[in-house]
Amino acid sequence: MAANNAPLMELRGIDKAFAGVKVLEEVDLSLHANRVQALAGENGAGKSTLMKILTGVYRADAGSITLRGDKVRFTTPRQAMDAGIAIIHQELNLIPTLSAGENIFLGREPRTRLGTVDWPRLYRDSSTLLERLQQRIDPRTPVSRLSIGQQQMVEIARALSLDAEIIVMDEPTDSLTDIETDILEQVIATLRDAGKSLVLITHRLAEIFRMCDDVAVLRDGKLIHQGPTAEMNEDMLIRQMVGRELADRYPYEPPTPGDTLIEVADLVAPGVEGVSFHARAGEVLGFGGLMGAGRTEMAQALCGDVGVISGQVRLRGREVRFTSPRQALRAGLVYVPEDRKQAGLLLDHPVGENMSLTALPAFCGPLGIIRHGQENAAIRHYIDAFSIKLSDPRQHTETLSGGNQQKVSLAKALMCQPDIVILDEPTRGVDVGAKREIYLLINQLKRDGKCVLLISSEMSELLGLSDRIMVLAGGRITGEFTRDEATQEKIMTAAAHVDAPQEISAR
Amino acid sequence: MSAPATHHVTRLLIDNKAFLALALLVAVSAGMSDNFLTLDNTLNVLRQTSINAIIAMGVTFVILTAGIDLSVGAVLALTGAFAASMTASGLAPWLSVPGTVAAGAALGAISGLFVAYGRVQAFIVTLVAMTILRGAALVFTDGRPIAIGASEAADTFWLLGGGYWFGVPIPIYLMFFVFVLCWSVLHHTRFGRHVYAVGGGEKVARLSGINVNRIKISVYAISGACAALAGVVLTARLGSAQPTAGTGYELDAIAAVVIGGTSLMGGRGRIFGTLIGALVIGVLNNALNIMGVSSYYQMIAKGAVILLAVLIDSRSQSSS
Ligand SMILES: Nc1ncnc2c1ncn2[C@@H]1O[C@H](COP(=O)(O)OP(=O)(O)OP(=O)(O)O)[C@@H](O)[C@H]1O
Ligand SMILES: [Mg+2]
């Protein structure tokens, strides 16, 4: 279907700068009904900023926005919402103490005739919305009890509840596994066919080709390309995004395994029902599975964040039982959490202070006095090594683009020179170029004789980087494959092993 | 003016709003009274401010971890009584003062224990501590002032509150000493970073290998120690410990912290701001005194200033 009809919404010549730094320059973009528009670009290219301008979160410094032929100028998100534009922001925006249903209808609660909140209706409608997303979440469950993926689904349900004409989704698949992504794909297709206009931002390029009709590419704040996806392929898209060829998306290096660094036997912890594995120095052990399979819970138990109920963990043959992440760090085990915002980084603190936080003892003299010279040198080193895009290490972390935040989170963990690194979704929200940099970094860790436990829901990444793969389902190991044996089908089969899907109940 | 330039200017104003408020207050006061900007009065204001400033700098640590300490006034009263009775019994200040400060730290640490391990809200814990310690101060003093007496020890002790060095009151030196110490700790030590980290996000702090409970206990201990030092200064100046000394001081301290731009949500703020915040309150009190405004109206004025500071703070947060 060609986009021959007049655009539903049009942005013309959009400029935006933050503190004098140009982030968007003369960007044009048109959105059509019945189309799914992909927005691609590297981390920090300005995708989220453009969408925030579209939805009234930021105001453009220059340029015009027209909606159904009329000029509009949103000054608050609420105005955009009332004009029929919904957005799912990259960073989750839920109130953790409220229930899923309350979050979905926050500020728009259905009322009874007496003016009180119509709770039965609120929860009934929430249920309907969540069912549309094939989620078996009780809408009365507090959001803090849901996994990030489920929280993402609640965000999507909220956007659906608005019944908007234009729905913007900023990296919604980021925290979803392949199965959940498939569900979202169906929902997007249904919405499109119902005449909606959708915008999808994603760093998973395959999704662009699967789900989107058109693709626009931003590079350094400028619109490089806009056109139908059918006229593109992945290589062309990557070239547009990064401005050069990108060889070999998954640069694998064969391992030179050394001593066994970590041995886990019958580990039982909240959400983990008995997991055993071992991993050696110089090896990447991948962990696959569905959302809620217990991989994050396993990692949390290993790093001492939550208590181990039973089972044994040995590091270099010595049995350990950590009761705090502090002990694990001292023993050389570091966990890079999947939830960057809540657990990984202090978003309203300077980037530099975040990066050096874990490794701080290494930069301290007597009395815990910080040697600022050493600290700053290390910070600069990691900013360069990870090519983190920022203007100043004193910048608040929240002002970095999502992908750059993820790199800061990695740098923070690696700065303390651990032996065992647990990476939980390390490339979530990271662009193709930067992903490859992170993969090269993982290879470097391997070469340095570190043991990497890689939890990833991105199948190609898991297959592309792991030396061995363990698959978890329902807190148990349901499959173990060497690199050569592993295929997408085998992993999926093992991941779907437990027949009763994980269900969260409110209690 | 272009957008980035205005942004820069507002940023600058926001970062130093306490300082601006102080400059404004000083200018207005100087314009309204010739007696204000004299050397004598300036030293007077600084000396009057010193007690609140010392307490407030300790409280800053607590607030940076997203906690609150309502017990500082009561700690001041009880430890002031300790100091007075130690001095009265002839103990030299170089023993009694560290002893008093240590007692304050211990009292604070007890609150800290309940906040950290008991997982009780800081507001409740320190409210209870305030009540209990007020009672304890009355019990300890039997409801009567304790004079420091007249001995060599008492004469030396008295200098801490009433003495001068190069024409400048000793409490002012103590205030700046505490400031430099707190500033160094907060900005140049691991402990300081950890304080900010705990306030910024406990979960992140924990995963970063920080002993969150230890940090929490420490900040309450620091707050207690500062309150005790303030108790020493007050007791020395008056020559006796009053059982009801320091009533309401916790609110002045919290006000100074907030005017200084430290967020009650934790994780953000500066000790320099607190010092300025304390001076704002000090100057305000002094100026209203000089102008002969009744103390009833002084309270209203103080409240208005605090409200204004908080308003500017919340606005600057939502606009950034
Ligand atoms: N509030 C802000 N203050 C200062 N700089 C900002 C702010 N928001 C965004 N930026 C900067 O603007 C640039 C574009 O950011 P944006 O979040 O739009 O990138 P993005 O394309 O969405 O990247 P990602 O794929 O990583 O999410 C980045 O360099 C970022 O640091
Ligand atoms: Mg973004």
Side-chain angles (χ1 to χ4, degrees):
Chain A
M1 183 168 57
N4 48 8
N5 45 346
L8 187 56
M9 190 167 194
E10 225 178 345
L11 292 96
R12 286 253 160 274
I14 301 290
D15 282 351
K16 178 75 189 172
F18 288 111
V21 180
K22 264 208 153 76
V23 171
L24 290 174
E25 239 181 302
E26 304 231 357
V27 175
D28 301 334
L29 187 73
S30 15
L31 306 179
H32 297 265
N34 276 316
R35 308 278 294 179
V36 184
Q37 169 75 54
L39 193 53
E42 287 183 280
N43 294 131
K47 304 180 294 296
S48 299
T49 306
L50 184 63
M51 289 305 112
K52 284 180 183 165
I53 288 171
L54 188 95
T55 52
V57 180
Y58 293 150
R59 253 180 292 173
D61 298 337
S64 66
I65 305 175
T66 42
L67 181 64
R68 296 181 201 92
D70 301 324
K71 263 217 160 69
V72 287
R73 197 171 173 82
F74 302 130
T75 48
T76 63
R78 183 77 209 196
Q79 290 173 1
M81 205 191 279
D82 293 342
I85 306 172
I87 181 163
I88 300 162
H89 285 289
Q90 185 169 3
E91 309 291 346
L92 293 174
N93 280 296
L94 300 172
I95 300 176
T97 47
L98 295 185
S99 70
E102 284 170 302
N103 268 290
I104 292 173
F105 287 101
L106 193 65
R108 299 171 296 111
E109 295 85 355
R111 303 273 165 185
T112 62
R113 253 175 296 153
L114 294 172
T116 57
V117 174
D118 188 346
W119 291 109
R121 174 139 162 245
L122 184 145
Y123 285 121
R124 208 167 47 239
D125 291 355
S126 312
S127 280
T128 317
L129 287 163
L130 289 168
E131 270 160 33
R132 229 169 116 188
L133 296 165
Q134 302 181 28
Q135 293 301 296
R136 303 231 251 141
I137 305 171
D138 183 333
R140 288 176 185 79
T141 317
V143 160
S144 58
R145 301 262 302 271
L146 302 177
S147 70
I148 313 190
Q150 288 171 321
Q151 292 185 14
Q152 182 67 64
M153 285 300 195
V154 172
E155 285 265 10
I156 295 168
R158 177 160 71 187
L160 295 183
S161 76
L162 290 165
D163 201 27
E165 285 301 297
I166 298 171
I167 303 170
V168 178
M169 303 191 180
D170 196 346
E171 302 191 24
T173 58
D174 220 36
S175 40
L176 302 181
T177 55
D178 291 2
I179 292 190
E180 286 90 26
T181 304
D182 289 345
I183 297 170
L184 183 64
E185 182 177 354
Q186 291 164 24
V187 172
I188 287 178
T190 317
L191 288 169
R192 182 214 13 229
D193 296 342
K196 313 276 185 197
S197 168
L198 292 107
V199 181
L200 181 71
I201 300 180
T202 175
H203 287 295
R204 301 182 178 180
L205 302 186
E207 287 170 3
I208 294 180
F209 293 95
R210 245 169 49 212
M211 304 187 191
C212 304
D213 306 299
D214 303 299
V215 58
V217 180
L218 280 177
R219 191 201 305 158
D220 292 332
K222 295 188 202 65
L223 188 82
I224 297 290
H225 173 94
Q226 183 172 18
T229 6
E231 295 168 10
M232 283 271 243
N233 62 34
E234 240 178 63
D235 289 336
M236 285 164 70
L237 184 57
I238 291 173
R239 209 177 321 128
Q240 304 264 25
M241 281 167 65
V242 301
R244 62 191 153 84
E245 295 287 341
L246 199 67
D248 188 14
R249 296 260 306 276
Y250 300 97
Y252 176 75
E253 274 180 24
T256 43
D259 303 338
T260 300
L261 285 190
I262 180 167
E263 269 174 288
V264 176
D266 296 319
L267 180 76
V268 178
V272 183
E273 310 287 341
V275 166
S276 307
F277 67 87
H278 70 98
R280 280 164 299 184
E283 182 179 49
V284 176
L285 180 59
F287 285 88
L290 299 180
M291 205 162 84
R295 294 172 300 166
T296 293
E297 288 78 359
M298 175 194 80
Q300 286 170 340
L302 288 177
C303 79
D305 192 26
V306 299
V308 170
I309 295 169
S310 69
Q312 273 193 334
V313 180
R314 291 170 179 280
L315 296 190
R316 298 178 182 283
R318 212 164 46 85
E319 182 163 0
V320 291
R321 181 160 277 207
F322 302 133
T323 52
S324 73
R326 181 180 175 77
Q327 296 170 353
L329 281 164
R330 287 204 171 142
L333 183 150
V334 67
Y335 170 56
V336 186
E338 61 174 340
D339 187 355
R340 171 171 81 216
K341 193 178 178 184
Q342 301 291 333
L345 296 172
L346 300 166
L347 288 180
D348 61 353
H349 283 219
V351 174
E353 286 184 16
N354 266 292
M355 283 172 67
S356 62
L357 189 61
T358 312
L360 209 53
F363 307 121
C364 288
L367 290 175
I369 292 168
I370 300 168
R371 299 198 182 98
H372 292 289
Q374 275 182 22
E375 186 198 6
N376 290 334
I379 290 169
R380 269 193 305 274
H381 171 78
Y382 276 89
I383 288 174
D384 291 344
F386 288 28
S387 6
I388 297 170
K389 264 193 217 167
L390 44 61
S391 34
D392 188 329
R394 282 169 301 184
Q395 201 173 334
H396 279 194
T397 312
E398 65 202 339
T399 64
L400 294 191
S401 74
N404 280 304
Q405 288 180 15
Q406 185 62 34
K407 290 192 203 168
V408 172
S409 180
L410 275 171
K412 171 171 177 278
L414 295 181
M415 211 184 260
C416 60
Q417 311 286 342
D419 291 336
I420 302 165
V421 188
I422 308 179
L423 301 174
D424 199 348
E425 310 287 358
T427 63
R428 170 168 291 165
V430 174
D431 70 48
V432 267
K435 258 185 192 158
R436 193 162 176 280
E437 284 166 27
I438 290 176
Y439 299 153
L440 291 175
L441 229 130
I442 291 176
N443 284 339
Q444 182 63 48
L445 292 175
K446 223 160 116 172
R447 244 177 286 137
D448 293 346
K450 319 237 152 167
C451 165
V452 180
L453 307 185
L454 172 71
I455 299 173
S456 174
S457 297
E458 213 179 318
M459 191 65 79
S460 45
E461 173 174 300
L462 200 63
L463 289 166
L465 284 168
S466 312
D467 299 313
R468 285 186 295 134
I469 296 174
M470 317 286 293
V471 180
L472 265 73
R476 289 197 173 75
I477 293 197
T478 52
E480 181 176 354
F481 309 98
T482 63
R483 181 178 176 82
D484 299 330
E485 292 165 0
T487 64
Q488 182 149 347
E489 290 69 38
K490 283 186 192 165
I491 291 175
M492 288 307 258
T493 315
H497 185 76
V498 180
D499 32 27
Q502 61 288 355
E503 188 171 359
I504 300 277
S505 63
R507 222 173 318 109
Chain B
M1 204 165 12
S2 72
T6 37
H7 176 88
H8 228 74
V9 172
T10 43
R11 198 64 260 163
L12 217 70
L13 292 182
I14 287 162
D15 284 349
N16 298 296
K17 65 177 191 305
F19 203 76
L20 271 172
L22 182 62
L24 204 71
L25 258 176
V26 169
V28 170
S29 312
M32 289 178 81
S33 165
D34 288 340
N35 298 330
F36 180 76
L37 220 53
T38 60
L39 180 64
D40 266 4
N41 192 51
T42 304
L43 290 179
N44 195 21
V45 170
L46 285 171
R47 203 202 55 228
Q48 284 167 353
T49 303
S50 62
I51 288 179
N52 183 28
I54 292 171
I55 300 173
M57 287 190 271
V59 172
T60 306
F61 281 79
V62 174
I63 292 184
L64 279 174
T65 63
I68 193 92
D69 192 350
L70 300 176
S71 69
V72 282
V75 170
L76 178 145
L78 184 58
T79 53
F82 288 165
S85 63
M86 280 192 271
T87 307
S89 68
L91 202 65
W94 63 269
L95 281 173
S96 65
V97 172
T100 305
V101 171
L107 291 172
I110 295 173
S111 294
L113 275 171
F114 279 95
V115 174
Y117 291 102
R119 304 203 174 281
V120 189
Q121 284 188 345
F123 187 91
I124 306 295
V125 172
T126 58
L127 189 68
V128 169
M130 168 172 130
T131 316
I132 292 177
L133 296 178
R134 277 260 164 247
L138 286 166
V139 171
F140 185 80
T141 59
D142 212 4
R144 288 187 295 265
I146 301 181
I148 59 173
S151 61
E152 202 184 318
D155 289 346
T156 326
F157 183 80
W158 177 83
L159 289 176
L160 291 170
Y164 284 79
W165 195 46
F166 292 113
V168 177
I170 302 283
I172 298 180
Y173 290 107
L174 287 174
M175 170 172 78
F176 281 107
F177 169 73
V178 172
F179 167 69
V180 171
L181 199 65
C182 289
W183 179 81
S184 310
V185 166
L186 275 181
H187 297 292
H188 298 288
T189 70
R190 177 171 39 176
F191 174 77
R193 267 308 159 69
H194 287 181
V195 169
Y196 279 98
V198 168
E202 262 187 66
K203 200 165 171 186
V204 179
R206 197 176 130 76
L207 280 176
S208 303
I210 295 171
N211 189 338
V212 174
N213 286 340
R214 212 197 73 201
I215 300 293
K216 282 191 179 170
I217 296 166
S218 307
V219 293
Y220 288 91
I222 289 172
S223 179
C226 286
L229 183 64
V232 166
V233 175
L234 187 65
T235 307
R237 179 155 177 73
L238 300 176
S240 67
Q242 308 290 325
T244 56
T247 306
Y249 279 22
E250 55 280 343
L251 296 183
D252 274 359
I254 294 167
V257 176
V258 171
I259 292 173
T262 296
S263 161
L264 287 172
M265 313 293 278
R268 277 183 322 112
R270 284 185 300 177
I271 201 80
F272 180 66
T274 299
L275 185 64
I276 300 297
L279 283 171
V280 167
I281 296 178
V283 168
L284 194 68
N285 282 337
N286 178 270
L288 295 172
N289 267 334
I290 288 182
M291 285 178 246
V293 177
S294 96
S295 64
Y296 302 163
Y297 283 104
Q298 285 189 23
M299 287 163 79
I300 296 175
K302 207 156 75 183
V305 168
I306 297 168
L307 189 65
L308 202 69
V310 180
L311 271 177
I312 296 173
D313 195 45
S314 68
R315 283 198 66 99
S316 69
Q317 266 176 51
S318 59
S319 75
S320 68

